[in-house]
Amino acid sequence: FDQNPLPGSLPEQGAATNAATLTDVTWVASPLGGAAMLGATSSIVVAQDTDVSGILASEVWFRMGTDAPANGARESMFDSNVIPPNISMFVYRNDPHHDLHCGIGSQSEIWTTDAVMLDTWHHAACVCANGNPSFYLDGVNLGDRPGSCASAGALVGAGLAIGANNNGAGQQVNDRLIGAIDGIRLWDQAPAAQRLR
């Protein structure tokens, strides 16, 4: 997301060959240089790619401009809409806290925190190492969930929606992140914990 203005399509910067399609997305500065600014009609979609498989970790920089509209509602950082092999990350409003949900493979786990602030850049990472998922927020491990990620994620079916819930066929119909997003990375191996701190 470093090009200003952002084009309608951005190429994959990793091993895959497909591109992200952007609609109603503008550029904004971020800790990494440039980010995607998302509003009520924004969408970013990465099409299905069977080369993206065995996902054991995901990370993203995000900034929420508004909180979810009601207690229990959520905003999506990214979502593949396939369980299994799930790849997803959401922020749920859980007054007076926030819940961070991470999906990898056949599992989805929850971590509650008071550290998510509006209009503040946060780095989030979810890692499955030896079958145990961990969630890192701004370099702090929010806890491990022993024995609950038995399978890995993959980019299949509906593809990957960025900044919105993927309700199938790459259609983002709800739970949009109103704010900004950057630095989305999917890994087929668990990074060392010190890299996430």
Side-chain angles (χ1 to χ4, degrees):
F1 303 119
D2 293 329
Q3 300 176 48
N4 184 12
L6 287 170
S9 178
L10 287 173
E12 165 65 40
Q13 294 180 4
T17 57
N18 60 349
T21 302
L22 285 65
T23 304
D24 294 332
V25 178
T26 57
W27 184 91
V28 65
S30 81
L32 301 180
M37 183 70 138
L38 307 170
T41 60
S42 299
S43 68
I44 302 174
V45 179
V46 179
Q48 172 181 346
D49 190 329
T50 56
D51 289 335
V52 180
S53 62
I55 301 303
L56 294 175
S58 60
E59 68 176 315
V60 64
W61 283 86
F62 72 99
R63 185 184 76 193
M64 293 173 52
T66 63
D67 211 344
N71 192 37
R74 66 185 184 172
E75 294 184 62
S76 174
M77 290 176 264
F78 49 84
D79 180 31
S80 67
N81 193 46
V82 180
I83 299 178
N86 184 30
I87 307 170
S88 65
M89 197 180 291
F90 290 85
V91 179
Y92 279 70
R93 181 173 162 185
N94 180 10
D95 293 341
H97 316 285
H98 288 95
D99 289 341
L100 297 167
H101 288 230
C102 172
I104 294 180
S106 60
Q107 302 296 325
S108 181
E109 293 293 332
I110 302 168
W111 291 263
T112 300
T113 182
D114 293 319
V116 174
M117 304 292 175
L118 296 182
D119 298 318
T120 301
W121 280 102
H122 295 286
H123 178 258
C126 184
V127 177
C128 177
N130 303 315
N132 304 318
S134 304
F135 200 101
Y136 293 83
L137 182 67
D138 299 327
V140 176
N141 185 350
L142 300 184
D144 304 325
R145 301 289 187 265
S148 61
C149 57
S151 63
L155 185 47
V156 296
L160 186 71
I162 298 172
N165 177 53
N166 186 340
N167 202 32
Q171 302 300 311
Q172 302 86 343
V173 296
N174 57 9
D175 302 335
R176 284 182 167 88
L177 173 72
I178 307 300
I181 203 159
D182 198 10
I184 299 165
R185 294 183 178 96
L186 305 175
W187 304 88
D188 61 4
Q189 58 185 350
Q194 57 266 29
R195 184 199 172 282
L196 302 173
R197 294 189 176 125

